[in-house]
Amino acid sequence: AASGSLLLLLLPSLVTASHSPPGCKIRITSKGLDLVKQEGLRFVEQELQNITVSDLHGNEGQFQYNISQVKVTDLQLAFSDLNFQPQQHLVFNINNASISLRFRRQLLYWFFYDIGSINASADGVHIYTVLQLAKDEAGRLKISNMTCNASIARMHAGFSGTLRKVYEFLSTFIVTGMRFLLSQQICPSLEHASLVLLNSLLDTVPVRNYVDEHIGIDYSLLRDPSITTDTLELDFKGMFFPRVREDQELENHAVEPVIKETERMVYVAFSEYFFDSAMHSYFQAGVLTIELQGEKVPKDLEVLLRATFFGTIFMLSPSVDAPLRLVLQVSAPPRCTIKPSGTSVSVSAFLNISLVPPDRPPVQLSSMAMETKLSAKVFLQGKALRVQLDLRRFRIYSKQSALESLALFSLQAPLKTLLQLTIMPIINERTKKGVQIPLPEGMDFTREVVTNHAGFLTVGADLHFSKGLREVIEKYRPVPTAAAYSSSQPTEPS
């Protein structure tokens, strides 16, 4: 009873853990799958053209034959479909295809010996393939299993030469054997193409990599893909981490993105957690500090500081002509807020103003608290998600007294100008590179549209293959081992 009660208490937390909200979500629609089918069909044609068919030899009475050097010369795969199948499958179906072959013949009938080539065609080729998609141990999308059925309805061979009548009489043995051999090679070829070659393409999707010298990002899948009849959805962790503490986990309390649109080929959604974890990681890395000293301090601001409120402090200092130093340091991790009206970032910081006389300790003049709100424009360029920040609201106040806060009121406008003209360009230069969205190499976005929602934003786009599947796969093709090669060779039919 006690253990049962404990299980009931732990059950809600276990359910929450197994369904932790994603920081990034990707939906591929039927339109996107149609584009993948076009590129995938070219890849399948190339794979089937490389089919290796074993030699066929035998004898029937006084007739001995040997068929060798079988080559696929043409493929017609016009009637094909690639569809989603709930819950985790893709179905690739080819109907009424035709395969043209050419092979070398060696025939002996009594004392007549003949060699040459034969053209043959396999018609009514049907291939039904089901690919199961799953998350592997590293959190990467993989083709975990494949089932395949292939059949050939008819096969014809064109014979010529002095023994043409004999060939036609005995062609049943040759055509039947060749039909069997060919049908037995289709599925192993597609299995290797899927489980080995296409998985090597999926290996190019970034899972856990570095963004810059300070932070990295974790794009591991949280669970297996969810597939309906019209969509495929992938839930990614979407969490940034500081490189100085790569094992750090930031708990996700943000709203889970919900994608409802299907008009574009692909949709990518980012929750507030995605951006919060990035800013939290930069804060943990200790890089959210900007220092301006001497000539880097804008001249107008320096004159204003020396002439207004700080003039009294300057007069008390023994080094009135010493250079100024401004240190802007974020005091807490910035927070992102996404609303239908737009995206904003709230930042709390300290601004310390000091004199730095040569060869003497710095003299601190004041330490101000700052609260700013930045508007964020999120956009996609290629596969890089980028953010452009702009200062919207700004407020400073003294940490020492209300009187000093009142005196600082005249500095509001000049310091805001300082942030806009000096600090914001530095920040935007750091965010200029952006972060890569988890797509395979050779696949890019076009016609991007960003839409804000309550707690998350979505990027709808169409897909474009900048590189063909074959080009990328050849670049990352695994080197076959001797054992793998021998095990992949088909066995000859009896």
Side-chain angles (χ1 to χ4, degrees):
S3 60
S5 300
L6 180 61
L7 179 60
L8 291 175
L9 290 173
L10 292 176
L11 187 58
S13 62
L14 292 175
V15 172
T16 303
S18 62
H19 294 280
S20 55
C24 172
K25 176 177 285 190
I26 290 183
R27 164 180 281 190
I28 299 175
T29 66
S30 296
K31 293 181 180 179
L33 195 63
D34 288 339
L35 179 69
V36 174
K37 185 194 80 170
Q38 296 172 15
E39 185 65 28
L41 192 60
R42 284 192 286 269
F43 173 67
V44 169
E45 288 177 348
Q46 294 166 349
E47 284 301 301
L48 293 181
Q49 285 177 341
N50 294 325
I51 284 179
T52 301
V53 180
S54 302
D55 294 350
L56 179 66
H57 52 83
N59 61 80
E60 295 295 330
Q62 300 300 321
F63 179 72
Q64 299 179 28
Y65 58 89
N66 183 56
I67 302 300
S68 61
Q69 301 178 13
V70 182
K71 299 292 183 183
V72 176
T73 58
D74 187 44
L75 283 154
Q76 296 295 330
L77 308 179
F79 303 100
S80 62
D81 289 303
L82 180 62
N83 299 307
F84 295 121
Q85 184 185 77
Q87 303 289 326
Q88 296 171 230
H89 299 91
L90 292 178
V91 175
F92 187 56
N93 192 21
I94 297 176
N95 280 309
N96 201 26
S98 64
I99 303 176
S100 297
L101 304 169
R102 186 176 182 86
F103 47 87
R104 185 172 182 270
R105 70 175 189 265
Q106 292 176 293
L107 306 174
L108 177 63
Y109 183 68
W110 291 93
F111 300 106
F112 297 96
Y113 179 69
D114 185 48
I115 60 173
S117 60
I118 298 177
N119 294 321
S121 64
D123 300 320
V125 179
H126 175 64
I127 306 172
Y128 184 82
T129 305
V130 179
L131 304 177
Q132 182 175 358
L133 303 179
K135 174 182 77 74
D136 69 2
E137 293 181 357
R140 180 178 275 111
L141 179 67
K142 282 297 181 71
I143 301 172
S144 60
N145 193 20
M146 171 191 161
T147 57
C148 174
N149 291 303
S151 62
I152 300 174
R154 301 170 302 278
M155 191 157 188
H156 307 280
F159 296 95
S160 60
T162 56
L163 299 179
R164 182 171 60 85
K165 293 296 183 180
V166 177
Y167 302 158
E168 291 175 353
F169 175 72
L170 298 171
S171 64
T172 303
F173 302 104
I174 299 176
V175 170
T176 301
M178 187 57 61
R179 175 183 169 188
F180 176 83
L181 285 174
L182 181 61
S183 63
Q184 290 296 301
Q185 305 312 307
I186 292 175
C187 284
S189 176
L190 295 182
E191 182 177 356
H192 177 264
S194 301
L195 299 180
V196 178
L197 300 184
L198 288 181
N199 274 337
S200 70
L201 174 70
L202 294 175
D203 282 336
T204 65
V205 177
V207 172
R208 188 177 176 91
N209 62 328
Y210 295 139
V211 176
D212 54 29
E213 64 271 25
H214 305 296
I215 68 171
I217 187 168
D218 188 338
Y219 270 132
S220 58
L221 283 171
L222 294 175
R223 55 192 64 92
D224 290 334
S226 174
I227 298 180
T228 68
T229 55
D230 299 313
T231 62
L232 180 152
E233 290 196 354
L234 302 166
D235 290 347
F236 296 94
K237 193 171 188 178
M239 184 199 75
F240 291 84
F241 57 87
R243 293 181 61 171
V244 293
R245 294 177 58 188
E246 294 194 12
D247 57 343
Q248 177 176 284
E249 291 282 340
L250 182 64
E251 194 170 351
N252 187 353
H253 297 290
V255 174
E256 179 173 352
V258 178
I259 305 175
K260 297 181 179 179
E261 300 89 342
T262 57
E263 291 77 16
R264 296 297 186 95
M265 293 183 182
V266 64
Y267 290 88
V268 188
F270 303 94
S271 74
E272 293 173 345
Y273 172 81
F274 180 86
F275 301 99
D276 283 346
S277 67
M279 294 181 289
H280 187 273
S281 297
Y282 276 123
F283 181 79
Q284 292 291 322
V287 296
L288 297 185
T289 302
I290 296 176
E291 180 177 318
L292 301 176
Q293 181 173 322
E295 295 181 354
K296 293 184 178 180
V297 178
K299 196 65 180 177
D300 294 344
L301 178 63
E302 181 179 359
V303 171
L304 183 66
L305 289 174
R306 292 181 183 274
T308 56
F309 170 75
F310 292 103
T312 306
I313 304 177
F314 284 131
M315 295 302 295
L316 298 176
S317 172
S319 305
V320 177
D321 294 330
L324 276 176
R325 180 172 66 188
L326 308 181
V327 178
L328 180 64
Q329 182 175 6
V330 174
S331 57
R335 296 299 302 272
C336 173
T337 302
I338 303 176
K339 297 180 179 179
S341 58
T343 302
S344 62
V345 178
S346 300
V347 184
S348 298
F350 296 135
L351 177 62
N352 296 319
I353 303 177
S354 306
L355 287 172
V356 282
D359 303 324
R360 295 179 62 183
V363 179
Q364 181 168 313
L365 302 180
S366 181
S367 180
M368 313 178 204
M370 299 177 54
E371 292 181 356
T372 62
K373 180 163 284 189
L374 312 175
S375 62
K377 179 184 177 183
V378 181
F379 60 98
L380 203 61
Q381 189 168 3
K383 278 191 294 191
L385 184 74
R386 299 182 177 179
V387 179
Q388 180 80 20
L389 297 171
D390 190 23
L391 184 61
R392 183 193 299 177
R393 284 188 292 179
F394 171 77
R395 184 173 76 92
I396 58 172
Y397 56 93
S398 173
K399 297 187 297 181
Q400 278 78 30
S401 67
L403 181 62
E404 188 177 12
S405 295
L406 183 64
L408 290 173
F409 184 77
S410 61
L411 296 176
Q412 289 271 131
L415 286 176
K416 184 176 181 180
T417 302
L418 168 70
L419 289 175
Q420 288 176 324
L421 299 181
T422 307
I423 307 300
M424 294 309 301
I426 297 175
I427 296 175
N428 283 322
E429 184 64 28
R430 291 182 178 180
T431 62
K432 185 178 180 180
K433 181 181 178 182
V435 60
Q436 184 179 354
I437 291 179
L439 277 184
E441 183 177 335
M443 188 179 290
D444 293 320
F445 294 107
T446 61
R447 300 175 61 238
E448 308 90 348
V449 176
V450 179
T451 306
N452 279 47
H453 304 272
F456 66 95
L457 60 85
T458 60
V459 181
D462 288 336
L463 292 172
H464 166 70
F465 280 95
S466 57
K467 298 179 182 178
L469 289 179
R470 173 64 56 184
E471 181 182 354
V472 178
I473 287 173
E474 288 298 331
K475 180 179 178 181
Y476 295 98
R477 178 187 287 270
V479 178
T481 61
Y485 181 81
S486 61
S487 63
S488 65
Q489 295 303 300
T491 57
E492 289 192 22
S494 59

